[in-house]
Amino acid sequence: MIELFTERLKIRSISQSDWNYFNDLHQDKEVMKFITEVSPLSEIKAKFESRLLPWSFESGNWLTLVIEDVHTGCFVGLTGFHCDDNLLRRAEVGYIISPNAAGKGYGTESLKAVIDWGIHQFDIHKFIGICATKNTASAKVMLNCGFMQEGCLRQNYKIGKHWVDEFVFGLLSNDIR
């Protein structure tokens, strides 16, 4: 079981009891508008079930962690990463903040904690973050965590019928040590 703490947050392993939070986020069209189309319930459930399985860095599967307010226990969002390349010690980060917790710095605070933990636990050399160019909140989180924009991938992803340009951000562990 993973448990990380910051001044305001508890970041912990996802559990079966988190289904409603996971489902609510993944069915919220406003939350998902820069990530993907809202999937059918069966696909969301399958994704959730896959995140409950035992995780290892080398598996390449997503580590999904729940973010909670340490004082109230209220759900804030999800964060985590997956190993993009085990030999190069590279990981892609991801996070989704609940609409009622947005704009409070929780994304930045939780991502910094996850990055620090990833460096110390797995000797991750580089973190990569990818977000739609129109997702200014997500881009701001990465910049606040020390990521540098490394490029823009034009029409790199399709959400529904629309092609999406994406920014690629990178953070070297040496940049924060």
Side-chain angles (χ1 to χ4, degrees), residues 90-120:
R90 192 170 63 199
E92 180 182 350
V93 298
Y95 43 87
I96 305 174
I97 302 300
S98 176
N100 60 0
K104 298 178 181 176
Y106 293 139
T108 299
E109 189 174 332
S110 61
L111 185 57
K112 284 181 177 178
V114 168
I115 288 168
D116 184 60
W117 179 77
I119 290 169
H120 290 93

mmCIF file of all heavy atoms in Angstrom, residues 90-120:
data_model
loop_
_atom_site.group_PDB
_atom_site.id
_atom_site.type_symbol
_atom_site.label_atom_id
_atom_site.label_comp_id
_atom_site.label_asym_id
_atom_site.label_seq_id
_atom_site.Cartn_x
_atom_site.Cartn_y
_atom_site.Cartn_z
ATOM 1 N N ARG A 90 12.230 6.081 -17.546
ATOM 2 C CA ARG A 90 11.381 7.185 -17.962
ATOM 3 C C ARG A 90 9.934 6.849 -17.607
ATOM 4 O O ARG A 90 9.501 5.710 -17.784
ATOM 5 C CB ARG A 90 11.543 7.381 -19.464
ATOM 6 C CG ARG A 90 10.961 8.647 -19.994
ATOM 7 C CD ARG A 90 11.369 8.871 -21.427
ATOM 8 N NE ARG A 90 10.842 7.815 -22.273
ATOM 9 C CZ ARG A 90 11.319 7.529 -23.494
ATOM 10 N NH1 ARG A 90 12.316 8.214 -23.990
ATOM 11 N NH2 ARG A 90 10.782 6.570 -24.209
ATOM 12 N N ALA A 91 9.189 7.855 -17.115
ATOM 13 C CA ALA A 91 7.792 7.639 -16.725
ATOM 14 C C ALA A 91 6.928 8.793 -17.205
ATOM 15 O O ALA A 91 7.342 9.945 -17.179
ATOM 16 C CB ALA A 91 7.680 7.512 -15.208
ATOM 17 N N GLU A 92 5.721 8.450 -17.640
ATOM 18 C CA GLU A 92 4.735 9.462 -18.022
ATOM 19 C C GLU A 92 3.800 9.701 -16.851
ATOM 20 O O GLU A 92 3.295 8.753 -16.245
ATOM 21 C CB GLU A 92 3.919 9.000 -19.232
ATOM 22 C CG GLU A 92 2.889 10.013 -19.663
ATOM 23 C CD GLU A 92 2.037 9.557 -20.833
ATOM 24 O OE1 GLU A 92 2.339 8.519 -21.457
ATOM 25 O OE2 GLU A 92 1.029 10.247 -21.115
ATOM 26 N N VAL A 93 3.563 10.968 -16.514
ATOM 27 C CA VAL A 93 2.693 11.320 -15.396
ATOM 28 C C VAL A 93 1.282 11.606 -15.886
ATOM 29 O O VAL A 93 1.072 11.931 -17.055
ATOM 30 C CB VAL A 93 3.230 12.547 -14.623
ATOM 31 C CG1 VAL A 93 4.593 12.259 -14.022
ATOM 32 C CG2 VAL A 93 3.262 13.792 -15.494
ATOM 33 N N GLY A 94 0.335 11.497 -14.968
ATOM 34 C CA GLY A 94 -1.047 11.834 -15.260
ATOM 35 C C GLY A 94 -1.764 12.230 -13.987
ATOM 36 O O GLY A 94 -1.372 11.822 -12.892
ATOM 37 N N TYR A 95 -2.797 13.039 -14.118
ATOM 38 C CA TYR A 95 -3.575 13.486 -12.967
ATOM 39 C C TYR A 95 -4.905 14.022 -13.454
ATOM 40 O O TYR A 95 -5.032 14.516 -14.563
ATOM 41 C CB TYR A 95 -2.835 14.564 -12.159
ATOM 42 C CG TYR A 95 -2.171 15.599 -13.035
ATOM 43 C CD1 TYR A 95 -2.859 16.722 -13.479
ATOM 44 C CD2 TYR A 95 -0.867 15.425 -13.461
ATOM 45 C CE1 TYR A 95 -2.265 17.637 -14.313
ATOM 46 C CE2 TYR A 95 -0.254 16.336 -14.299
ATOM 47 C CZ TYR A 95 -0.966 17.440 -14.718
ATOM 48 O OH TYR A 95 -0.378 18.350 -15.565
ATOM 49 N N ILE A 96 -5.909 13.865 -12.604
ATOM 50 C CA ILE A 96 -7.239 14.419 -12.849
ATOM 51 C C ILE A 96 -7.721 14.977 -11.515
ATOM 52 O O ILE A 96 -7.779 14.250 -10.522
ATOM 53 C CB ILE A 96 -8.247 13.354 -13.343
ATOM 54 C CG1 ILE A 96 -7.746 12.627 -14.584
ATOM 55 C CG2 ILE A 96 -9.590 13.991 -13.617
ATOM 56 C CD1 ILE A 96 -8.657 11.470 -15.025
ATOM 57 N N ILE A 97 -8.040 16.242 -11.503
ATOM 58 C CA ILE A 97 -8.520 16.886 -10.281
ATOM 59 C C ILE A 97 -10.034 17.075 -10.374
ATOM 60 O O ILE A 97 -10.553 17.504 -11.401
ATOM 61 C CB ILE A 97 -7.810 18.243 -10.067
ATOM 62 C CG1 ILE A 97 -6.288 18.059 -10.005
ATOM 63 C CG2 ILE A 97 -8.328 18.953 -8.812
ATOM 64 C CD1 ILE A 97 -5.791 17.168 -8.893
ATOM 65 N N SER A 98 -10.715 16.754 -9.299
ATOM 66 C CA SER A 98 -12.162 16.919 -9.227
ATOM 67 C C SER A 98 -12.530 18.393 -9.403
ATOM 68 O O SER A 98 -11.826 19.264 -8.899
ATOM 69 C CB SER A 98 -12.644 16.421 -7.860
ATOM 70 O OG SER A 98 -14.010 16.635 -7.703
ATOM 71 N N PRO A 99 -13.626 18.680 -10.111
ATOM 72 C CA PRO A 99 -14.011 20.080 -10.330
ATOM 73 C C PRO A 99 -14.153 20.896 -9.044
ATOM 74 O O PRO A 99 -13.794 22.064 -9.006
ATOM 75 C CB PRO A 99 -15.357 19.978 -11.056
ATOM 76 C CG PRO A 99 -15.335 18.644 -11.716
ATOM 77 C CD PRO A 99 -14.537 17.752 -10.795
ATOM 78 N N ASN A 100 -14.630 20.272 -7.961
ATOM 79 C CA ASN A 100 -14.802 21.031 -6.715
ATOM 80 C C ASN A 100 -13.481 21.271 -5.986
ATOM 81 O O ASN A 100 -13.447 22.005 -4.993
ATOM 82 C CB ASN A 100 -15.822 20.361 -5.784
ATOM 83 C CG ASN A 100 -15.413 18.960 -5.378
ATOM 84 O OD1 ASN A 100 -14.371 18.460 -5.777
ATOM 85 N ND2 ASN A 100 -16.254 18.323 -4.592
ATOM 86 N N ALA A 101 -12.389 20.691 -6.474
ATOM 87 C CA ALA A 101 -11.068 20.899 -5.866
ATOM 88 C C ALA A 101 -10.129 21.655 -6.802
ATOM 89 O O ALA A 101 -8.989 21.934 -6.445
ATOM 90 C CB ALA A 101 -10.460 19.554 -5.485
ATOM 91 N N ALA A 102 -10.600 21.972 -7.996
ATOM 92 C CA ALA A 102 -9.750 22.626 -9.003
ATOM 93 C C ALA A 102 -9.378 24.044 -8.577
ATOM 94 O O ALA A 102 -10.128 24.709 -7.862
ATOM 95 C CB ALA A 102 -10.472 22.649 -10.348
ATOM 96 N N GLY A 103 -8.215 24.478 -9.018
ATOM 97 C CA GLY A 103 -7.772 25.845 -8.793
ATOM 98 C C GLY A 103 -7.207 26.112 -7.406
ATOM 99 O O GLY A 103 -6.976 27.262 -7.050
ATOM 100 N N LYS A 104 -6.953 25.075 -6.636
ATOM 101 C CA LYS A 104 -6.454 25.245 -5.269
ATOM 102 C C LYS A 104 -5.002 24.799 -5.114
ATOM 103 O O LYS A 104 -4.489 24.734 -3.997
ATOM 104 C CB LYS A 104 -7.347 24.478 -4.291
ATOM 105 C CG LYS A 104 -8.784 24.985 -4.290
ATOM 106 C CD LYS A 104 -9.656 24.182 -3.354
ATOM 107 C CE LYS A 104 -11.095 24.706 -3.416
ATOM 108 N NZ LYS A 104 -11.997 23.902 -2.606
ATOM 109 N N GLY A 105 -4.356 24.433 -6.228
ATOM 110 C CA GLY A 105 -2.959 24.010 -6.168
ATOM 111 C C GLY A 105 -2.754 22.547 -5.821
ATOM 112 O O GLY A 105 -1.625 22.096 -5.658
ATOM 113 N N TYR A 106 -3.843 21.779 -5.741
ATOM 114 C CA TYR A 106 -3.727 20.371 -5.378
ATOM 115 C C TYR A 106 -3.011 19.550 -6.460
ATOM 116 O O TYR A 106 -2.289 18.608 -6.148
ATOM 117 C CB TYR A 106 -5.097 19.752 -5.113
ATOM 118 C CG TYR A 106 -5.807 20.279 -3.898
ATOM 119 C CD1 TYR A 106 -7.170 20.535 -3.937
ATOM 120 C CD2 TYR A 106 -5.141 20.504 -2.701
ATOM 121 C CE1 TYR A 106 -7.850 21.001 -2.822
ATOM 122 C CE2 TYR A 106 -5.806 20.977 -1.586
ATOM 123 C CZ TYR A 106 -7.166 21.219 -1.646
ATOM 124 O OH TYR A 106 -7.829 21.680 -0.543
ATOM 125 N N GLY A 107 -3.241 19.893 -7.724
ATOM 126 C CA GLY A 107 -2.571 19.170 -8.808
ATOM 127 C C GLY A 107 -1.066 19.307 -8.699
ATOM 128 O O GLY A 107 -0.329 18.312 -8.769
ATOM 129 N N THR A 108 -0.591 20.520 -8.503
ATOM 130 C CA THR A 108 0.846 20.766 -8.371
ATOM 131 C C THR A 108 1.404 20.084 -7.126
ATOM 132 O O THR A 108 2.433 19.403 -7.195
ATOM 133 C CB THR A 108 1.110 22.288 -8.309
ATOM 134 O OG1 THR A 108 0.654 22.885 -9.527
ATOM 135 C CG2 THR A 108 2.582 22.585 -8.112
ATOM 136 N N GLU A 109 0.726 20.249 -6.010
ATOM 137 C CA GLU A 109 1.207 19.676 -4.752
ATOM 138 C C GLU A 109 1.291 18.152 -4.818
ATOM 139 O O GLU A 109 2.282 17.556 -4.385
ATOM 140 C CB GLU A 109 0.271 20.109 -3.617
ATOM 141 C CG GLU A 109 0.763 19.761 -2.239
ATOM 142 C CD GLU A 109 -0.120 20.342 -1.137
ATOM 143 O OE1 GLU A 109 -0.765 21.395 -1.355
ATOM 144 O OE2 GLU A 109 -0.150 19.741 -0.048
ATOM 145 N N SER A 110 0.275 17.529 -5.377
ATOM 146 C CA SER A 110 0.277 16.064 -5.460
ATOM 147 C C SER A 110 1.298 15.567 -6.476
ATOM 148 O O SER A 110 1.987 14.570 -6.224
ATOM 149 C CB SER A 110 -1.118 15.546 -5.801
ATOM 150 O OG SER A 110 -1.559 16.023 -7.057
ATOM 151 N N LEU A 111 1.424 16.246 -7.606
ATOM 152 C CA LEU A 111 2.383 15.803 -8.622
ATOM 153 C C LEU A 111 3.811 15.924 -8.107
ATOM 154 O O LEU A 111 4.636 15.032 -8.336
ATOM 155 C CB LEU A 111 2.201 16.580 -9.920
ATOM 156 C CG LEU A 111 3.071 16.124 -11.094
ATOM 157 C CD1 LEU A 111 2.847 14.648 -11.413
ATOM 158 C CD2 LEU A 111 2.802 16.985 -12.321
ATOM 159 N N LYS A 112 4.129 16.989 -7.390
ATOM 160 C CA LYS A 112 5.473 17.122 -6.807
ATOM 161 C C LYS A 112 5.777 15.961 -5.870
ATOM 162 O O LYS A 112 6.884 15.416 -5.881
ATOM 163 C CB LYS A 112 5.615 18.453 -6.073
ATOM 164 C CG LYS A 112 5.783 19.634 -6.991
ATOM 165 C CD LYS A 112 5.943 20.934 -6.194
ATOM 166 C CE LYS A 112 6.186 22.114 -7.117
ATOM 167 N NZ LYS A 112 6.305 23.386 -6.368
ATOM 168 N N ALA A 113 4.797 15.571 -5.056
ATOM 169 C CA ALA A 113 4.992 14.457 -4.123
ATOM 170 C C ALA A 113 5.207 13.143 -4.866
ATOM 171 O O ALA A 113 6.077 12.339 -4.502
ATOM 172 C CB ALA A 113 3.796 14.345 -3.177
ATOM 173 N N VAL A 114 4.425 12.911 -5.911
ATOM 174 C CA VAL A 114 4.545 11.670 -6.692
ATOM 175 C C VAL A 114 5.889 11.622 -7.422
ATOM 176 O O VAL A 114 6.550 10.578 -7.475
ATOM 177 C CB VAL A 114 3.355 11.532 -7.664
ATOM 178 C CG1 VAL A 114 3.579 10.437 -8.682
ATOM 179 C CG2 VAL A 114 2.076 11.274 -6.884
ATOM 180 N N ILE A 115 6.324 12.750 -7.962
ATOM 181 C CA ILE A 115 7.621 12.810 -8.648
ATOM 182 C C ILE A 115 8.749 12.515 -7.669
ATOM 183 O O ILE A 115 9.647 11.713 -7.954
ATOM 184 C CB ILE A 115 7.809 14.191 -9.323
ATOM 185 C CG1 ILE A 115 6.900 14.298 -10.543
ATOM 186 C CG2 ILE A 115 9.268 14.434 -9.700
ATOM 187 C CD1 ILE A 115 6.782 15.702 -11.104
ATOM 188 N N ASP A 116 8.717 13.151 -6.509
ATOM 189 C CA ASP A 116 9.753 12.932 -5.495
ATOM 190 C C ASP A 116 9.801 11.458 -5.098
ATOM 191 O O ASP A 116 10.871 10.851 -5.030
ATOM 192 C CB ASP A 116 9.480 13.821 -4.284
ATOM 193 C CG ASP A 116 10.565 13.706 -3.236
ATOM 194 O OD1 ASP A 116 11.734 14.016 -3.550
ATOM 195 O OD2 ASP A 116 10.251 13.303 -2.100
ATOM 196 N N TRP A 117 8.643 10.869 -4.861
ATOM 197 C CA TRP A 117 8.556 9.460 -4.493
ATOM 198 C C TRP A 117 9.087 8.573 -5.636
ATOM 199 O O TRP A 117 9.838 7.631 -5.394
ATOM 200 C CB TRP A 117 7.109 9.114 -4.153
ATOM 201 C CG TRP A 117 6.891 7.678 -3.789
ATOM 202 C CD1 TRP A 117 7.198 7.070 -2.606
ATOM 203 C CD2 TRP A 117 6.330 6.665 -4.627
ATOM 204 N NE1 TRP A 117 6.849 5.748 -2.653
ATOM 205 C CE2 TRP A 117 6.311 5.475 -3.882
ATOM 206 C CE3 TRP A 117 5.831 6.660 -5.925
ATOM 207 C CZ2 TRP A 117 5.821 4.287 -4.396
ATOM 208 C CZ3 TRP A 117 5.331 5.471 -6.435
ATOM 209 C CH2 TRP A 117 5.331 4.303 -5.678
ATOM 210 N N GLY A 118 8.716 8.894 -6.882
ATOM 211 C CA GLY A 118 9.167 8.110 -8.033
ATOM 212 C C GLY A 118 10.673 8.127 -8.205
ATOM 213 O O GLY A 118 11.293 7.107 -8.532
ATOM 214 N N ILE A 119 11.276 9.274 -7.966
ATOM 215 C CA ILE A 119 12.735 9.373 -8.070
ATOM 216 C C ILE A 119 13.395 8.513 -7.000
ATOM 217 O O ILE A 119 14.322 7.751 -7.288
ATOM 218 C CB ILE A 119 13.195 10.845 -7.951
ATOM 219 C CG1 ILE A 119 12.769 11.632 -9.193
ATOM 220 C CG2 ILE A 119 14.707 10.931 -7.746
ATOM 221 C CD1 ILE A 119 12.950 13.133 -9.063
ATOM 222 N N HIS A 120 12.917 8.620 -5.772
ATOM 223 C CA HIS A 120 13.544 7.888 -4.673
ATOM 224 C C HIS A 120 13.260 6.386 -4.700
ATOM 225 O O HIS A 120 14.119 5.585 -4.345
ATOM 226 C CB HIS A 120 13.136 8.501 -3.328
ATOM 227 C CG HIS A 120 13.760 9.837 -3.116
ATOM 228 N ND1 HIS A 120 13.132 11.010 -3.454
ATOM 229 C CD2 HIS A 120 14.979 10.188 -2.647
ATOM 230 C CE1 HIS A 120 13.922 12.018 -3.183
ATOM 231 N NE2 HIS A 120 15.055 11.563 -2.702
#
